[in-house]
């Protein structure tokens, strides 16, 4: 079954083909389509003339297409399609019309700019999601959009024996490394291109723009290579072989593609290669009337469906299933189960419809350019979400780096690395985990269990009055650890304490002053002027900082 999903509002499910199933929730199913494209790793695209209409290049079979306009301008033709048939070279008048038509199309293609869908192809390529584009168009707008373009010479054609002489033989020579395989362009023209012309005799290729004058006149230009070779033969007194004629490098009906063997090899590599393989097929703007293109689409559809079936063993139907108990499956909504692996985007479904049952998971009825704009917007939205997540991660890392620079708590393993003895560790634990004295019983330090993140700097003098005033303005707090006394000393008059040391503690970017008596044993008290609500947390019995 194929899901019918109109891209515009108010479009009813067409009566044909009968295997169409309306999308249960168009908005939700559209989100599934977007998700399938965003998550795809290797997309194979087969496109036709529908993607170039927006650039000013007419399609072929529509009411305003090229076939109709050619028939209107040349009443002697039974159909405009006759000028794209190989029999066009059998008569001089049809040959002249053919060359003039090619000149007109070449000028259109040269002045045309890539459409939003061509730009989407470039976006997919930049993101590493585009496996290959197989285009039926001859305007080469894919090349203008930035894709690599052409038919590579990928090895020896299948079924043809290797020659013992020539480049292949030189690769077997000892001490010589084999040449690397040619890079396959991202876009493969299935029907040739208007950019070049080739000689029918020597097969040399030349830029088409250099011969526009001959094309406008309807006279086939002579081959420059054959002309040069003929002059050399005449000077040497050899027999003349004649001068070949140039013709546009486009593939006509009822003729073979001159690079068809290489195109087939690229298709075979994309279908059966180890990696990468297509996991999504997108067919856009083509009526699928040409037999070669039909075969490519069907083979890719089988390949991506089989790959999805293996990856999702529990999914029985990749495209959704109609209710078998209903007499009209076309009117029954599809289920939301199964991945989307093949999409057909066009205003009309290809005919005959029976040839395409089970080939596409979804038919997107709508304009290719609007589809391209919507997908690009989704890519930009996904990039914004990803960028926001990276920014949050960056801020967290910066905050962690700042805390690390200010000095993190040194745990027991870290102290072991610095060869700190357990005795010093226990002493620092008793020193830096104070308990409240009776004079400060309102301070409940035991309830605070969060460790201190502090950096302690030792200063061997007391602060001056100006420094005390400045410290109080900066919300610095003061702790004093007095020297412990024996019972007899407690009954006697208090002994003046020894000159204390000042320790500056930075807690979460807030400074804190701690006064430690060298003879003290860990009891702490907060000065009356301290703000009790902002007392730093401590952990009793664990090291919370290290004295420097």
């Amino acid at each position: 079954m194929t899901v019918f999903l109109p891209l515009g509002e108010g479009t009813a499910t067409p009566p044909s083909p009968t295997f169409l199933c309306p999308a249960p929730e168009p908005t939700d199913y559209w989100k599934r389509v977007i998700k399938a494209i965003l998550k795809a790793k290797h997309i194979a695209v087969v496109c036709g003339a529908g993607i170039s209409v927006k650039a000013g290049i007419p399609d072929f079979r529509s009411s305003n297409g090229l076939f109709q306009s050619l028939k209107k301008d040349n009443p002697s033709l039974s159909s405009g399609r006759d000028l794209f048939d190989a029999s066009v070279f059998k008569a001089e008048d049809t040959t002249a019309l053919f060359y003039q038509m090619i000149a007109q199309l070449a000028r259109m293609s040269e002045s045309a700019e890539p459409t939003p869908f061509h730009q989407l192809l470039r976006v997919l390529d930049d993101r590493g999601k585009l496996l290959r584009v197989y285009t039926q168009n001859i305007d080469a707008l894919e090349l203008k959009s930035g894709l690599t373009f052409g038919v590579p010479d990928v090895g020896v054609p299948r079924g043809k024996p290797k020659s013992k002489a020539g480049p292949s033989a030189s690769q077997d020579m000892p001490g010589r490394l084999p040449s690397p395989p040619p890079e396959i362009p991202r876009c493969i023209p299935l029907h040739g291109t208007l950019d070049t012309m080739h000689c029918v005799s020597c097969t040399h290729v030349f830029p088409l723009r250099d011969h526009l004058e001959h094309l406008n006149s309807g006279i086939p230009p002579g081959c420059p290579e054959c002309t040069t070779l003929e002059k050399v033969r005449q000077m040497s007194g050899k027999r003349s072989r004649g001068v070949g004629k140039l013709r546009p490098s486009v593939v006509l009906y009822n003729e073979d593609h001159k690079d068809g063997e290489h195109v087939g090899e690229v298709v075979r590599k994309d279908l059966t290669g180890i990696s990468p393989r297509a996991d999504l097929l997108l067919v856009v703007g083509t009526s699928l009337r040409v037999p070669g293109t039909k075969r490519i689409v069907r083979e890719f559809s089988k390949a991506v469906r089989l790959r999805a079936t293996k990856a999702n063993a529990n999914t029985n139907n990749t495209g959704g299933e109609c209710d078998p108990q209903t007499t009209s499956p076309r009117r029954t909504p599809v289920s939301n189960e199964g991945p989307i692996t093949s999409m057909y985007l066009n205003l009309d479904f290809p005919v005959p419809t029976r040839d395409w049952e089970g080939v596409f998971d979804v038919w997107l009825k709508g304009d290719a350019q609007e589809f391209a704009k919507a997908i690009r917007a989704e890519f930009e939205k996904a990039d914004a979400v990803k960028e926001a997540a990276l920014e949050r991660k960056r801020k967290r890392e910066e905050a962690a780096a700042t805390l690390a620079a200010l000095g993190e708590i040194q745990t027991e393993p870290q102290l072991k690395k610095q060869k700190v003895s357990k005795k010093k560790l226990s002493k620092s634990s008793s020193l830096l985990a104070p308990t409240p004295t009776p004079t400060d019983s309102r301070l409940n330090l035991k309830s605070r269990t969060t460790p201190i993140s502090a950096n302690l700097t030792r200063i061997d003098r007391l602060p001056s009055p100006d420094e005390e005033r400045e410290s109080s303005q900066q919300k610095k707090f003061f702790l004093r650890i007095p020297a412990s006394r024996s019972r007899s000393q407690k009954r006697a008059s208090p002994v003046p304490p020894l000159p204390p040391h000042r320790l500056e503690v930075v807690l979460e970017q807030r400074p804190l002053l701690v006064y430690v008596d060298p003879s003290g044993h860990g009891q702490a008290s907060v000065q009356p002027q301290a703000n009790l609500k902002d007392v730093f947390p401590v952990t009793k019995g664990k090291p919370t900082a290290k004295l420097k």
Side-chain angles (χ1 to χ4, degrees):
M1 296 297 173
T2 300
V3 178
F4 173 71
L5 180 63
L7 298 184
E9 297 180 356
T11 304
T13 305
S16 178
T18 57
F19 53 80
L20 287 181
C21 291
E25 293 292 338
T27 303
D28 294 341
Y29 204 86
W30 169 246
K31 292 180 180 179
R32 288 189 61 198
V33 170
I34 294 173
K35 184 178 179 180
I37 296 176
L38 294 182
K39 294 185 66 176
K41 296 181 179 179
H42 305 292
I43 303 176
V45 181
V46 179
C47 54
I51 69 171
S52 297
V53 173
K54 190 73 173 179
I57 301 174
D59 60 1
F60 291 92
R61 293 180 173 84
S62 67
S63 57
N64 297 323
L66 191 60
F67 289 167
Q68 292 294 330
S69 62
L70 289 174
K71 170 64 177 175
K72 188 182 299 183
D73 296 339
N74 302 279
S76 59
L77 297 175
S78 59
S79 172
R81 184 180 182 278
D82 295 342
L83 291 183
F84 288 90
D85 192 274
S87 60
V88 73
F89 297 110
K90 293 182 179 180
E92 292 184 0
D93 54 343
T94 55
T95 301
L97 290 176
F98 171 74
Y99 277 91
Q100 292 171 355
M101 176 200 65
I102 291 296
Q104 182 180 0
L105 289 178
R107 287 192 295 269
M108 288 182 180
S109 301
E110 189 172 0
S111 61
E113 294 297 329
T115 66
F117 190 86
H118 290 96
Q119 296 170 359
L120 174 63
L121 295 177
R122 176 59 188 270
V123 170
L124 294 175
D125 188 31
D126 292 341
R127 291 174 173 269
K129 291 179 172 291
L130 188 62
L131 173 64
R132 201 79 61 213
V133 177
Y134 294 94
T135 179
Q136 293 179 277
N137 299 334
I138 58 177
D139 49 40
L141 288 182
E142 296 85 1
L143 179 61
K144 284 188 177 182
S145 67
L147 299 180
T148 54
F149 185 89
V151 179
D153 184 5
V154 284
V156 179
R158 301 180 67 185
K160 186 176 180 179
K162 295 183 179 181
S163 174
K164 294 184 179 180
S168 60
S170 63
Q171 294 179 1
D172 299 332
M173 295 176 61
R176 180 164 183 173
L177 296 176
S179 59
E183 181 181 358
I184 300 178
R186 195 63 66 194
C187 183
I188 305 295
L190 297 177
H191 298 163
T193 173
L194 288 170
D195 284 351
T196 60
M197 300 183 74
H198 66 274
C199 177
V200 296
S201 297
C202 67
T203 68
H204 275 78
V205 178
F206 304 92
L208 185 142
R209 67 173 65 92
D210 296 342
H211 304 279
L212 276 177
E213 293 183 2
H214 287 87
L215 296 177
N216 289 327
S217 63
I219 301 175
C223 173
E225 185 72 17
C226 290
T227 302
T228 303
L229 182 60
E230 185 66 17
K231 291 180 179 179
V232 173
R233 293 182 66 86
Q234 289 179 359
M235 293 175 61
S236 60
K238 294 183 179 180
R239 180 173 57 88
S240 174
R241 290 185 176 180
V243 177
K245 300 296 182 181
L246 297 183
R247 56 155 291 181
S249 299
V250 296
V251 182
L252 304 178
Y253 292 108
N254 299 316
E255 76 170 352
D256 295 332
H257 196 315
K258 71 181 184 68
D259 297 322
E261 301 268 357
H262 303 300
V263 173
E265 187 67 14
V266 174
V267 175
R268 187 189 67 82
K269 287 180 179 293
D270 288 345
L271 287 173
T272 62
I274 298 177
S275 180
R277 291 184 183 179
D279 55 2
L280 180 66
L281 172 64
L282 180 60
V283 183
V284 186
T286 171
S287 59
L288 295 176
R289 299 285 187 89
V290 180
T293 306
K294 290 174 63 174
R295 182 179 178 183
I296 291 175
V297 170
R298 296 181 69 87
E299 292 299 326
F300 269 105
S301 176
K302 292 178 183 178
V304 296
R305 190 180 296 265
L306 180 62
R307 183 176 182 181
T309 302
K310 291 181 178 180
N312 302 274
N314 297 327
T315 302
N316 295 325
N317 190 345
T318 59
E321 227 178 289
C322 292
D323 188 358
Q325 300 178 354
T326 322
T327 56
S328 178
R330 181 174 52 82
R331 301 301 178 188
T332 305
V334 297
S335 65
N336 286 327
E337 302 297 330
I340 298 176
T341 58
S342 56
M343 307 177 187
Y344 180 71
L345 172 60
N346 207 2
L347 296 174
D348 300 308
F349 199 76
V351 292
T353 58
R354 63 179 180 273
D355 292 345
W356 303 105
E357 184 173 2
V359 175
F360 302 112
D361 293 329
V362 56
W363 170 25
L364 302 167
K365 183 176 182 179
D367 183 63
Q369 312 307 328
E370 297 301 324
F371 171 84
K373 293 176 183 178
I375 297 300
R376 288 197 66 180
E378 293 296 332
F379 274 123
E380 293 173 359
K381 188 186 301 183
D383 289 343
V385 173
K386 185 177 181 180
E387 184 64 27
L390 292 176
E391 182 65 18
R392 291 194 297 269
K393 181 179 179 181
R394 185 185 63 80
K395 289 183 179 180
R396 288 195 301 267
E397 292 176 350
E398 288 181 354
T402 302
L403 290 176
L406 294 174
E408 291 293 333
I409 302 173
Q410 298 196 9
T411 60
E412 186 172 354
Q414 292 173 331
L415 293 175
K416 286 182 178 179
K417 291 181 181 179
Q418 298 177 8
K419 298 182 180 180
V420 178
S421 64
K422 293 183 179 180
K423 185 176 181 180
K424 292 182 179 180
L425 179 63
S426 60
K427 186 176 181 180
S428 61
S429 300
S430 62
L431 178 63
L432 296 174
T435 56
T437 59
T439 57
D440 298 298
S441 59
R442 51 184 176 170
L443 176 62
N444 184 12
L445 294 178
K446 292 183 179 180
S447 62
R448 305 301 184 97
T449 59
T450 305
I452 299 176
S453 176
N455 181 22
L456 304 182
T457 304
R458 182 167 180 166
I459 303 176
D460 294 330
R461 66 177 180 82
L462 289 172
S464 64
D466 294 338
E467 291 175 345
E468 294 281 5
R469 191 181 304 107
E470 182 181 357
S471 300
S472 62
Q473 292 176 359
Q474 296 178 359
K475 296 183 180 180
K476 293 189 177 182
F477 311 108
F478 301 90
L479 300 179
R480 184 178 300 279
I481 304 178
S484 61
R485 295 172 293 171
S486 62
R487 292 182 179 179
S488 59
Q489 289 176 336
K490 289 181 180 179
R491 297 190 189 100
S493 59
V495 179
L498 296 175
H501 298 287
R502 194 183 85 165
L503 303 176
E504 184 176 356
V505 181
V506 179
L507 173 64
E508 295 180 355
Q509 300 182 357
R510 294 182 301 172
L512 177 68
L513 289 181
V514 180
Y515 288 90
V516 180
D517 193 329
S519 61
H521 294 283
Q523 293 184 348
S525 62
V526 180
Q527 288 189 355
Q529 68 268 26
N531 187 354
L532 299 180
K533 293 189 297 182
D534 294 330
V535 172
F536 68 95
V538 301
T539 300
K540 185 176 180 181
K542 294 183 179 180
T544 55
K546 181 188 175 185
L547 297 179
K548 292 185 178 179

